[in-house]
Amino acid sequence: MEGFNPLVIQFDLHQRLFNNVLDGYSDEETNSRLEGFPQVNHVKYLAGHLLNSQYGIAMIAGLKPEVRWNELFAVMGMSKAKDHIDYPSIEEIIGEWNKLYIPTREGLLRLTADQLRGKAPQPFDTVSDSLGELWAFVSHHQAYHIGQIGMLRRALGKSAMSYS
């Protein structure tokens, strides 16, 4: 979609914030829940769940990515954080996210207004009527989870996430 597109601006922002919010975590730290709060997801689950959402945005952009680790990080309530299992490393998750960025962004820029007004694919038509609304919904979902990881950073004694 040519010209000013707030969703592309937000997509670019999420690229930066995803990397910034995960900066400085060891792989071991990302597997640990906040002490005393077993109901709170650990960072690795949230990062993987964000990656799973990024695959969704890649599909909106017309890509056909190989969705890795879906059984661990699926969206729409089809997964939950687990303890003491062999998750991929946080570096693998970050690497996969970053690998998707450029081709997804290029695909998003090619979307036309008519495509964005078109029907959202199943099963996502339960949360959005159009492809554009689905993109906005997933983008909001990502902001929510980036914020959760940001809160966990502070609770785990790390510095606040950088916006730069």
Side-chain angles (χ1 to χ4, degrees):
M1 183 173 181
E2 297 288 328
F4 179 76
N5 187 327
L7 288 171
V8 172
I9 293 167
Q10 192 170 41
F11 178 78
D12 291 339
L13 176 64
H14 289 164
Q15 171 66 17
R16 186 171 75 238
L17 297 184
F18 177 85
N19 283 281
N20 288 356
V21 80
L22 293 171
D23 185 53
Y25 275 108
S26 70
D27 193 57
E28 183 179 331
E29 288 173 316
T30 64
N31 283 324
S32 302
R33 293 181 195 256
L34 191 58
E35 191 172 327
F37 295 91
Q39 72 277 23
V40 174
N41 293 324
H42 48 70
V43 170
K44 181 152 316 157
Y45 175 77
L46 292 168
H49 189 68
L50 279 160
L51 172 61
N52 198 280
S53 295
Q54 193 76 334
Y55 287 129
I57 291 183
M59 290 175 199
I60 289 168
L63 279 64
K64 294 180 181 1
E66 175 192 343
V67 178
R68 300 180 69 192
W69 313 301
N70 191 55
E71 69 283 356
L72 298 174
F73 303 124
V75 295
M76 297 182 68
M78 296 186 293
S79 68
K80 64 181 182 177
K82 299 174 184 169
D83 297 313
H84 313 294
I85 69 160
D86 191 23
Y87 277 109
S89 72
I90 195 64
E91 292 81 15
E92 288 177 290
I93 292 168
I94 294 169
E96 185 72 6
W97 172 283
N98 288 328
K99 184 177 89 176
L100 287 169
Y101 174 66
I102 295 295
T104 300
R105 188 179 197 284
E106 289 170 353
L108 293 172
L109 289 171
R110 285 191 295 270
L111 290 173
T112 66
D114 284 342
Q115 287 172 304
L116 291 171
R117 282 191 290 272
K119 189 113 175 90
Q122 293 181 337
F124 304 105
D125 56 350
T126 60
V127 294
S128 302
D129 290 330
S130 70
L131 194 64
E133 287 177 17
L134 176 60
W135 181 5
F137 177 84
V138 175
S139 189
H140 170 75
H141 173 263
Q142 289 181 323
Y144 176 79
H145 288 308
I146 288 170
Q148 286 181 316
I149 297 172
M151 294 293 293
L152 288 171
R153 283 187 71 79
R154 301 298 294 159
L156 294 169
K158 296 193 173 299
S159 61
M161 177 192 73
S162 167
Y163 277 85
S164 59

